[in-house]
Amino acid sequence: MNVTLLDYGAGNVRSVRNAIKKLGFSVEDVVSPEDILTAEKLIFPGVGSFGLVMDRLRAAGYVEPLRRRILEDKPFLGICVALQTLYEGSEETPGVKGLGVIPGQVKRFPATSLSVPQIGWNGIRQQKASRLLNGYDGEKLYFVHSYHAPVEQPSREWYLSLTDYGYEFVSAVERGNVSAFQFHPEKSGGAGLRILENFLNQNETIEAGALHNQIQEQEQGKTKIAKRIIACLDVRSNDNGDLVVTKGDQYDVRSEGEVRNLGKPVQLAKRYYQEGADEVTFLNITGFRDFPMKDQPMLEVLEKTSENVFVPLTIGGGIREFTDSEGISYTSLDVASAYFRAGADKISIGSDAVYTVEDFLQTGKKTGTSSIEQISIVYGAQAVVISVDPRRVYVHAPEDTEHNTIKTTSPGPDGQLYCWYQCTVKGGREGRDIDAVQLVQVCEKLGAGEVLLNCIDKDGTNSGFDLELIKQVKDAVSIPVIASSGAGNPAHFVDVFSQTTTDAALAAGIFHRNEVTIEEVKTTVQRSGIEIR
Ligand code: 1PR
């Protein structure tokens, strides 16, 4: 059977396409407003801000056909922002009208002790029997959003599920054949694929109720977001020109003169997905400057990986303006768009973020032209990660530097009791005069949605995460932070989750060298009472 996809050109719907194909269906695209009315099954994966999505729907003449399809109760599934467009409007873009099928306004999560955006795996509390949730067994599903549909009386008949994040919000709606999810079924592993399959197999001729599952009898407690465990693959070409996953010790990836080769990127990513990784991150650590953009090796790695990996994929390295070896120039938005189209869910910006913040600190003004701002406007803040590569600089007293210091329990070589974290560029090769706190605070202001917090001193040491750095950065921002560098055993993950408020923890070496499996990490973390998927 054919499934019709409403992809209005924002780009990163490859994972939805791949999930549909994986389930044995073929995909057609909406190319004209009529297709919206004639499609047998229509899936609408919303990408970007509420206003941007509505503008694009309006420009393409899709608003009225969509409203008609929904009112005629033809099979429809909206994902993420598409759920929000069913409402009358959104705080995200005041004054822009939504499809107005469901009464009410979409709201932003307030800045509380919880990170915003909500990024990660949370549960759902089912509100009515539904064929869509046949076989669903209470697994956590993947959410990534700053705005949400509120729980309010006039929209109650639509609720399929609610989720808790600070307070309860609407995580899925359904009325007749029309449904929409705030979570991403295509990024929610096996559980998400089953839900998607239920939509695709849903047969209108079946008597309503015949296939309905029942809401579990037992009381459904509050849902909880899980701490994420992320596998990271640093990728580069070795001296033979092969694309390999490598791993550095404090960023030095050579051993006896050779680039360490720890495996093939696509295969390793698939293995980590199967072993239960909540996310997979690729860092292209050389930038592949000699390649034309269209042949960038990481595009193919993403395309192949996203065929089989149904959890979020992040790509970093080389996200900036550049002119390729064929002399063609690209903006950072062009570069990011190519990666999103190839299957990335998030891009991560390293060096370019440092330069942007240096400029901002001089002028105090947003230019609107930085890679962070441009990509965030089009793809949403949650798609923009800042990769920080800091290194400790020790001082005897806070007054010895203008930077944000901490008092440390690991004194410096001359007994210094304070340090600050210096940001670096070019894979740690060059230190700059800004600290990690300055970097992340300005990036958050410019529209970044998450921080990937590495630590050069800890990278590859197996000695545990730098808890002092993580606390300092977590206290400085309200966007989620991924702790990275130094994991050497499962207990280190327990330490980072129990002693800091980090949202996720990432490791590379221990997984690549088969010292510890993702499952062992998760079991240990869960046994210590920390919420995990
Ligand atoms: O500056 O935007 O082109 O991005 C370059 C990206 O590549 C940055 O995200 C930077 O962190 C990364 N990178 C550059 N050089 C290296 C290197 O190792 N020589 N890798 C590098 C950074 C660090 C971590 C690593 C953790 C966990 N890798 O991501 O995976 O430290 O390791 P561990 O668990 O083994 O300790 P741009």
Side-chain angles (χ1 to χ4, degrees), residues 158-220:
W158 279 90
Y159 300 167
L160 171 57
S161 74
L162 304 179
T163 291
D164 300 288
Y165 193 65
Y167 50 79
E168 60 180 8
F169 68 92
V170 181
S171 50
V173 293
E174 186 186 28
R175 195 177 71 181
N177 291 306
V178 175
S179 48
F181 305 145
Q182 183 59 64
F183 55 84
H184 287 260
E186 78 286 7
K187 286 285 149 191
S188 297
L193 291 183
R194 268 197 312 283
I195 295 175
L196 197 56
E197 193 172 21
N198 286 341
F199 171 75
L200 297 175
N201 283 328
Q202 197 162 307
N203 181 347
E204 282 175 84
T205 59
I206 291 174
E207 287 269 306
L211 263 181
H212 284 193
N213 62 333
Q214 293 306 314
I215 304 178
Q216 294 109 354
E217 297 276 298
Q218 72 272 29
E219 187 159 321
Q220 305 179 80

Side-chain angles (χ1 to χ4, degrees), residues 231-236 246-253 281-287 289 315-320 348-355 386-389 424-429 452-456 458-465 483-488 493 506-513:
C232 181
L233 291 79
D234 290 355
V235 179
R236 60 162 289 164
T246 189
K247 185 66 211 67
D249 286 334
Q250 298 176 312
Y251 286 36
D252 179 2
V253 298
T281 295
F282 290 108
L283 295 176
N284 156 7
I285 68 169
T286 51
R289 280 168 222 96
I315 173 84
I319 311 284
R320 58 171 165 262
S348 125
I349 308 175
S351 308
D352 199 53
V354 177
Y355 301 133
I386 302 304
S387 173
V388 193
D389 298 313
T424 64
V425 294
K426 302 179 183 158
R429 286 194 296 279
L452 163 53
L453 185 57
N454 304 298
C455 177
I456 298 179
K458 285 286 191 176
D459 176 57
T461 62
N462 281 21
S463 62
F465 295 93
S484 162
S485 304
F493 290 84
L506 170 151
I510 49 166
F511 297 145
H512 303 336
R513 295 186 298 265

Side-chain angles (χ1 to χ4, degrees), residues 229 461-465 486-496 505 507 509-511 513 515-517 520-522 524-525:
I229 308 292
T461 62
N462 281 21
S463 62
F465 295 93
N489 59 50
H492 288 150
F493 290 84
V494 177
D495 292 344
V496 77
I510 49 166
F511 297 145
R513 295 186 298 265
E515 290 164 10
V516 177
T517 65
E520 284 170 297
V521 170
K522 288 193 152 182
T524 307
V525 171

Side-chain angles (χ1 to χ4, degrees), residues 323-431:
T323 300
D324 74 9
S325 54
E326 291 183 341
I328 306 174
S329 297
Y330 297 88
T331 64
S332 51
L333 180 61
D334 295 333
V335 176
S337 299
Y339 285 123
F340 286 129
R341 276 196 300 273
D345 300 285
K346 304 189 252 185
I347 53 88
S348 125
I349 308 175
S351 308
D352 199 53
V354 177
Y355 301 133
T356 299
V357 173
E358 286 176 346
D359 290 347
F360 181 92
L361 291 174
Q362 288 208 332
T363 63
K365 286 198 189 113
K366 295 184 184 179
T367 60
T369 58
S370 68
S371 50
I372 302 172
E373 291 161 283
Q374 286 188 34
I375 302 167
S376 175
I377 284 168
V378 177
Y379 291 95
Q382 75 289 339
V384 181
V385 184
I386 302 304
S387 173
V388 193
D389 298 313
R391 174 183 279 132
R392 277 183 175 218
V393 178
Y394 285 99
V395 288
H396 284 287
E399 305 73 62
D400 295 350
T401 171
E402 305 218 310
H403 290 290
N404 293 286
T405 54
I406 53 156
K407 188 163 188 194
T408 176
T409 52
S410 328
D414 299 326
Q416 300 100 318
L417 288 177
Y418 293 85
C419 73
W420 60 281
Y421 289 92
Q422 181 183 31
C423 292
T424 64
V425 294
K426 302 179 183 158
R429 286 194 296 279
E430 190 183 317

